[in-house]
Amino acid sequence: MYKLTEKSPARGGMLSLKKARYNNPYFQKKGGIVVEDGKEWWRVRSKVQVPLMKPKNLCLYIEEMERISLDLIHKVSRHRDGKGEVTLDFLEELQKWALESVCFVSINQRIGCFDGVVNKDSKEIRDAAFELLDAIFTCETRSKLWKIYRTEPFSKLEKSLEFLTAVCDKVLHETKKKLASRKDYLSEGNLNIMEHLALSGGLTHKDIVTFMMDIIPGGTNTTSDNVAVVLYLLAKNPDAQRKLQEELDRILGDGEGPITPKQLAQLSYARAVLKEANRVMPPMFGPVRLLQEDIQFRGYALKKGWSVLFMNGLLGWEESVFPQADKFIPERWLRSKPLGDIHPYTILPFSHGTRMCIGRRLVEQLIYILMARLFHRFTWSGSTPDMGESTR
């Protein structure tokens, strides 16, 4: 199915965000890569994917991502009771961590989700970003009356979108001025992602602003939820957590120095933990494709315009595909393959092909940094009941 739809991987979705942008004259009926399909989607996607998916470009953000992770860890450390149990809503703190990290990549500034970086402008950006996320979620998963008239959630979506648009537009103008002032000293090795886009050509100012905002809803809740699942499964499987800590002790040593790109590349067991977490509790059942033509698939006629959901996540629970599927075994993903070979198309949490999640490397880097710092310092445990899944 991936191969049959690779030439035109349309998926639809995020219709509330698309409508809000089409209603706003600023965007000139261009919704950005999160909501568009076809030629308009590829026009932008083909330009933005290179700088965002190059590991060396993301390495520039490691230092600040580590600071943000440490801010989260320090806050959690201060909010524990006499038994060492966290007294905060930890999922809420993870959402703040993800938003702070994603916004730093998107608009090149901290927005003050943690202590020590608080000012009026930062608070307004933070509040607008959370309101945008909440409004999109509400519109997409609950009543669709916003398609007929402006409901309260849709009005909030439009309001927060307008505010963040102005912020991103201003930041990009300032970035361009700085680039112009140091044009004789520019080097590709010290350009952040926004600067790469501003200099790359082929994209309008508004294209870049739209993409900067797309990173926020595209990367925040998915990242925080993914980490929550990792923490839950490692708490339930102390042997796997101990092996992760042994790897971190070996690679990070005393942990006093900053994390380096080389150290991140050596975290093979951490990568296996994330892959296994995505198998056991997948962030989505699978991607959707809106068929752009009639196709024949294994004896079935699938018609143009049909919506096809790849139930990819269910493969992770199949005993015939994954021996001991009911157990959390990160080792199955190591090079030694103790439980046999794994087909490369079985677990695809970031989808595949040209429509693969453009923020994949960004999200993985964020998660590995937090895992490294959190589990190098603490043992994570809990007495929570078994967690299930509800997909909407």
Side-chain angles (χ1 to χ4, degrees):
M1 284 303 300
Y2 274 117
K3 291 182 181 297
L4 288 169
T5 59
E6 65 182 352
K7 291 183 180 178
S8 54
R11 69 179 185 191
M14 287 276 196
L15 296 181
S16 57
L17 178 59
K18 184 174 185 177
K19 181 175 181 179
R21 281 183 172 155
Y22 275 40
N23 286 350
N24 190 326
Y26 179 91
F27 297 97
Q28 300 175 322
K29 303 293 183 183
K30 292 181 172 62
I33 65 169
V34 170
V35 304
E36 296 287 5
D37 290 312
K39 292 181 179 178
E40 175 57 24
W41 162 76
W42 182 243
R43 180 185 69 83
V44 179
R45 168 77 189 219
S46 61
K47 301 294 190 304
V48 300
Q49 64 185 6
V50 175
L52 195 64
M53 300 189 80
K54 275 188 177 180
K56 69 175 185 179
N57 292 343
L58 293 175
C59 285
L60 291 174
Y61 296 95
I62 289 177
E63 183 178 348
E64 196 61 39
M65 286 178 177
E66 184 179 7
R67 286 199 189 101
I68 295 169
S69 292
L70 290 172
D71 285 346
L72 167 66
I73 293 169
H74 291 155
K75 182 175 181 180
V76 170
S77 299
R78 294 194 303 271
H79 290 82
R80 291 184 291 165
D81 62 19
K83 298 179 181 179
E85 293 190 1
V86 177
T87 57
L88 297 168
D89 181 331
F90 199 74
L91 182 57
E92 183 178 314
E93 297 307 314
L94 284 176
Q95 289 168 344
K96 292 177 183 177
W97 159 79
L99 181 64
E100 187 83 26
S101 302
V102 168
C103 282
F104 183 75
V105 175
S106 174
I107 59 176
N108 289 333
Q109 65 186 71
R110 297 286 300 266
I111 61 169
C113 287
F114 299 107
D115 299 341
V117 194
V118 180
N119 58 59
K120 181 176 179 294
D121 291 341
S122 296
K123 184 179 185 305
E124 288 179 344
I125 295 171
R126 181 179 72 237
D127 291 347
F130 271 120
E131 188 167 273
L132 176 69
L133 293 171
D134 183 65
I136 291 174
F137 180 80
T138 302
C139 289
E140 294 296 321
T141 63
R142 297 175 190 168
S143 168
K144 300 297 187 293
L145 288 175
W146 53 265
K147 294 184 177 182
I148 302 171
Y149 68 94
R150 276 185 170 84
T151 61
E152 182 180 350
F154 188 77
S155 294
K156 287 183 177 180
L157 196 166
E158 289 186 308
K159 181 181 177 182
S160 56
L161 182 68
E162 185 173 359
F163 177 82
L164 290 173
T165 300
V167 170
C168 292
D169 186 85
K170 180 181 177 182
V171 170
L172 184 56
H173 276 301
E174 291 171 350
T175 298
K176 288 180 175 179
K177 287 181 181 179
K178 291 177 182 177
L179 287 172
S181 67
R182 60 185 179 97
K183 60 183 178 180
D184 296 332
Y185 308 98
L186 293 178
S187 167
E188 186 175 328
N190 63 8
L191 294 177
N192 60 44
I193 289 170
M194 191 191 304
E195 290 169 339
H196 271 288
L197 295 175
L199 294 172
S200 63
L203 294 174
T204 68
H205 181 93
K206 292 180 180 180
D207 286 334
I208 300 173
V209 168
T210 306
F211 177 67
M212 289 161 59
M213 281 190 292
D214 280 341
I215 297 175
I216 298 173
T220 301
N221 284 353
T222 50
T223 303
S224 58
D225 288 352
N226 219 331
V227 172
V229 166
V230 168
L231 295 175
Y232 165 75
L233 290 170
L234 286 174
K236 289 285 187 180
N237 296 273
D239 287 344
Q241 184 174 170
R242 176 179 51 78
K243 292 175 183 178
L244 172 62
Q245 290 171 324
E246 290 172 354
E247 176 179 79
L248 295 172
D249 288 343
R250 186 176 67 255
I251 293 172
L252 300 183
D254 61 11
E256 290 301 315
I259 293 177
T260 66
K262 182 179 179 181
Q263 288 173 326
L264 285 179
Q266 293 174 327
L267 298 178
S268 58
Y269 197 79
R271 288 196 295 274
V273 165
L274 182 57
K275 287 182 179 180
E276 183 72 345
N278 284 328
R279 178 191 72 81
V280 174
M281 300 187 74
M284 64 176 184
F285 273 152
V288 173
R289 292 291 179 266
L290 301 177
L291 300 186
Q292 303 300 294
E293 57 187 5
D294 294 348
I295 62 175
Q296 294 292 322
F297 179 68
R298 297 188 177 181
Y300 292 90
L302 305 183
K303 299 297 183 180
K304 179 180 178 179
W306 284 11
S307 178
V308 181
L309 171 63
F310 303 175
M311 302 296 278
N312 184 253
L314 296 182
L315 285 174
W317 304 338
E318 290 286 341
E319 189 71 26
S320 61
V321 182
F322 288 97
Q324 303 181 59
D326 61 332
K327 296 181 179 179
F328 182 74
I329 309 175
E331 288 80 4
R332 72 172 83 240
W333 298 97
L334 298 178
R335 284 188 176 182
S336 58
K337 302 287 176 64
L339 297 182
D341 290 336
I342 299 174
H343 194 286
Y345 277 70
T346 49
I347 302 299
L348 297 168
F350 296 96
S351 189
H352 179 74
T354 55
R355 197 95 205 204
M356 179 179 72
C357 173
I358 197 169
R360 174 182 179 175
R361 295 188 186 279
L362 165 65
V363 168
E364 289 177 335
Q365 180 169 292
L366 278 173
I367 293 175
Y368 295 143
I369 290 172
L370 180 59
M371 285 175 64
R373 281 310 183 199
L374 183 61
F375 287 101
H376 192 239
R377 296 184 176 208
F378 295 100
T379 294
W380 190 263
S381 61
S383 56
T384 56
D386 289 343
M387 191 185 297
E389 284 201 71
S390 177
T391 300
R392 290 185 285 184

